[in-house]
Amino acid sequence: MKKLIALALSTLLLAGLACAQSAELPAYIYPGEDPILAAVANYASSLGSLYLEPERCVCIPAPVVLKIELVDDATARVYGQFWHMNYVLKGTVLESVSGGEQPAVLTLVKSGDIWSVTGADIAEDGDGYAPSILRLAGGDEALAEQFFAASDLMAEPAASIRTQFIRDYVKANNLPVEGYQDPFWEMVPLGE
């Protein structure tokens, strides 16, 4: 019985140490000046709740905007690959713990000076992925190729957009972060 209690206490202690290693992170808020990108980035960061969200994590988006179509003065369509990754802070590194992509065409509506996402036409998963990308691109093969290229988070353009959005988040929140890291990969330094 004493061994069982000791084992339970050490398990709790180790779990507490793991949580203590991860610092509290402020919520993501787009720090830039572009009102359409602000709506898109804040929308993408809200998608982090679709995945595992450990305590003290933050969802930082990496929206790869491929095309913006202004329908009229108060409506826009944004075509893109809307990446969203959840991170925890371990020391000076943001470690990704979950996330994904959402290839979509977003509908945005302007009210005053504020744009908001009011709808999303999202690509299907599995066997329907490629045909739905072609549908989202409206038959534009070059745009479809951009969608497919942006589906690799480790390749351009997604890789540099991800680094830039993380760098902007770190700077806006004055965090002591040197880089970010995916499981089983090397840390990516943020640089300047």
Side-chain angles (χ1 to χ4, degrees), residues 163-164 167-168 170-171 175 177-178 188-192:
T163 300
Q164 186 60 53
R167 185 182 297 125
D168 292 347
V170 165
K171 183 177 178 184
L175 298 172
V177 173
E178 294 177 12
V188 177
L190 291 179
E192 288 303 315

Side-chain angles (χ1 to χ4, degrees), residues 107-183:
T107 301
L108 279 67
V109 173
K110 185 177 181 183
S111 177
D113 292 334
I114 307 294
W115 287 90
S116 301
V117 175
T118 59
D121 186 0
I122 303 166
E124 296 176 33
D125 290 331
D127 291 342
Y129 184 81
S132 65
I133 291 293
L134 296 171
R135 179 185 54 77
L136 291 176
D140 181 340
E141 290 184 23
L143 181 56
E145 285 303 316
Q146 289 178 312
F147 268 109
F148 291 125
S151 69
D152 183 350
L153 190 57
M154 300 295 202
E156 294 304 326
S160 61
I161 290 170
R162 180 185 190 191
T163 300
Q164 186 60 53
F165 269 75
I166 293 170
R167 185 182 297 125
D168 292 347
Y169 168 79
V170 165
K171 183 177 178 184
N173 292 286
N174 198 29
L175 298 172
V177 173
E178 294 177 12
Y180 64 92
Q181 185 171 14
D182 292 323

